[in-house]
Amino acid sequence: MKFVISRESLLKPLNLVAGVVERRQTLPILSNVMLVLEGSELSITGTDLEVELVGRVNLEQAPDSGGEITVPARKLADICKSLPDGSDIQFSLEDQRLIIKSGRSRFILSCLSASDFPNVEEGPGNQGFTVTQGVLKRLIDRTSFAMAQQDVRYYLNGMLWEIRSGQLRLVATDGHRLAVCTLPADITAEENLQVILPRKGVIELARLLMNENENVEIVIGTNHIRATTTEFTFTSKLVDGKFPDYDRVLPKASTKAVFGARDELRQAFTRTSILSNEKYRGVRLLLSDNNLQIVANNPEQEEAEETVSVDYQGDTLEIGFNVSYLLDVLGVLSGDQVKISLSDSNSSALLEEAEESDSMYVVMPMRL
């Protein structure tokens, strides 16, 4: 195995693949990436047994010989980062050791056999479709913030992908808030399919979707999901669990509709949040005709108050929310106007864009 590659060509796929590799591993080989050279294509594979990522690079110079080997991911990435811009790197394998040369620099890395490198199991795909990377990234960005982080209800630490004929819907919830985003897509499905992609899989997939106008091909099997672009193949195991019936959580009979300027509301919430309780992050909303008053206070007896003009006619209402949840939603919504649907002080709020919206956000109220 002997080849030459430019630093820039190697660094981008290597950094992305190394991101999948966990720093602390019980199995030494899981700290490595596998390099496979076939013809003039170099593929770099990293895995943590749940998520696998393969990056592909075409070499400009025809290699002297092919082969495969695994090398420490972090060390290889750090070596490549530390070399000067524009440099060429020469790799050669001798006695299970990888020799890296560039200019006056020379490094020798100890390797492990590629035959011991694990593969994420792949079964046959049941459902496949193709969308542009930019569209899929937007769907993920609009929902991923609502995923739980380390909930004992493990199925919440991920994202629901719901595939129906003609549409793809992504849903995330941590039990206190819910994000739903729907995309009309060229999908033919005999029956509705629901799968849960784990949190790490969601984050790694979002990092890969960099070329907005290029396509990504998605294939979903019984226990895995695979995304393929021209440069990468991403595979993740699915979470074995049942996602909650999110449709029951969506408020159906809201009696109060509030329309406000998104930027103005976001700035007002940001300012009042400074003096909210650092632990609970609660703010009180006092709603009256064409007026929304936002109040925050904390155990030090400090208080912040903002008044925002809104389009609302109806009964007065006082309701409390975690301000961070409201800010997260206002941060991903687009458009100038936002619509907030409310019923009473004990019912969840539904936030969406005032114009036609493909996204819905539910935030549960707080007792303050």
Side-chain angles (χ1 to χ4, degrees):
M1 186 179 189
K2 195 171 182 182
F3 64 95
V4 176
I5 188 168
S6 70
R7 172 184 179 271
E8 281 65 32
S9 299
L10 178 61
L11 205 50
K12 177 183 161 188
L14 180 58
N15 278 339
L16 282 165
V17 171
V20 171
V21 177
E22 294 285 353
R23 287 184 183 273
R24 296 188 197 88
Q25 288 292 0
T26 47
L27 289 171
I29 200 158
L30 290 179
S31 317
N32 286 13
V33 288
M34 180 165 69
L35 305 179
V36 179
L37 186 58
E38 284 182 14
S40 61
E41 184 180 82
L42 173 70
S43 65
I44 308 164
T45 307
T47 183
D48 66 353
L49 298 181
E50 295 291 321
V51 173
E52 179 187 85
L53 182 57
V54 184
R56 293 178 292 274
V57 191
N58 283 310
L59 303 179
E60 292 173 9
Q61 304 177 30
D64 294 349
S65 59
E68 56 182 31
I69 196 68
T70 78
V71 294
R74 302 285 168 201
K75 289 175 184 172
L76 181 58
D78 288 345
I79 287 169
C80 294
K81 279 181 205 163
S82 67
L83 292 170
D85 292 350
S87 53
D88 283 343
I89 310 172
Q90 182 185 336
F91 290 84
S92 56
L93 185 63
E94 291 177 17
D95 302 328
Q96 292 292 301
R97 300 198 309 167
L98 190 67
I99 299 166
I100 305 167
K101 293 180 183 173
S102 180
R104 296 182 180 181
S105 307
R106 182 169 176 269
F107 307 88
I108 300 176
L109 288 177
S110 61
C111 304
L112 294 169
S113 168
S115 60
D116 298 329
F117 197 78
N119 275 338
V120 171
E121 286 176 50
E122 287 183 24
N126 312 342
Q127 181 71 53
F129 58 90
T130 301
V131 291
T132 60
Q133 294 184 33
V135 164
L136 184 57
K137 182 162 170 54
R138 177 178 175 275
L139 275 180
I140 292 173
D141 289 346
R142 284 195 149 214
T143 46
S144 58
F145 68 87
M147 289 187 295
Q149 299 223 22
Q150 289 178 315
D151 202 295
V152 291
R153 297 164 293 178
Y154 60 93
Y155 47 83
L156 297 185
N157 304 319
M159 179 183 285
L160 177 73
W161 288 48
E162 186 177 76
I163 293 98
R164 303 182 179 191
S165 269
Q167 75 170 37
L168 167 65
R169 174 174 285 176
L170 302 191
V171 185
T173 180
D174 61 6
H176 302 286
R177 54 182 170 172
L178 173 81
V180 181
C181 193
T182 309
L183 165 76
D186 186 13
I187 297 173
T188 308
E190 291 177 14
E191 56 182 39
N192 295 348
L193 177 66
Q194 286 194 340
V195 296
I196 304 171
L197 182 59
R199 182 183 178 82
K200 181 170 181 181
V202 173
I203 292 165
E204 293 301 331
L205 179 56
R207 286 173 60 216
L208 293 186
L209 303 171
M210 294 179 290
N211 301 324
E212 275 196 17
N213 300 319
E214 287 188 20
N215 283 344
V216 54
E217 182 189 346
I218 306 289
V219 175
I220 297 172
T222 47
N223 58 6
H224 78 279
I225 183 169
R226 188 168 62 249
T228 308
T229 71
T230 51
E231 296 175 328
F232 296 98
T233 300
F234 163 87
T235 310
S236 172
K237 287 186 176 177
L238 297 170
V239 175
D240 183 15
K242 181 153 175 52
F243 204 79
D245 182 1
Y246 65 87
D247 199 48
R248 289 174 51 197
V249 179
L250 295 171
K252 302 285 196 301
S254 300
T255 53
K256 300 172 175 58
V258 184
F259 294 87
R262 184 176 62 88
D263 272 347
E264 197 179 333
L265 283 167
R266 189 164 74 162
Q267 289 168 20
F269 283 128
T270 302
R271 287 191 292 266
T272 44
S273 70
I274 296 167
L275 296 185
S276 66
N277 184 315
E278 286 181 17
K279 186 177 179 185
Y280 300 109
R281 307 282 290 157
V283 293
R284 278 203 320 281
L285 275 56
L286 300 126
L287 188 62
S288 55
D289 285 352
N290 294 329
N291 205 49
L292 176 64
Q293 194 179 6
I294 307 162
V295 180
N297 46 39
N298 59 33
E300 287 83 53
Q301 307 296 313
E302 297 166 333
E303 188 170 274
E305 193 178 293
E306 286 271 344
T307 304
V308 182
S309 295
V310 292
D311 181 3
Y312 170 73
Q313 297 290 323
D315 298 338
T316 58
L317 174 69
E318 182 173 343
I319 188 168
F321 289 107
N322 180 320
V323 70
S324 299
Y325 295 168
L326 297 175
L327 285 169
D328 284 344
V329 173
L330 294 172
V332 295
L333 285 174
S334 53
D336 297 331
Q337 292 281 311
V338 61
K339 177 186 177 185
I340 305 172
S341 304
L342 299 158
S343 291
D344 54 54
S345 57
N346 298 314
S347 301
S348 299
L350 177 68
L351 288 82
E352 54 198 325
E353 277 130 359
E355 301 300 316
E356 294 228 347
S357 178
D358 57 5
S359 310
M360 294 182 287
Y361 301 92
V362 179
V363 180
M364 286 178 66
M366 281 178 79
R367 284 213 171 99
L368 292 174

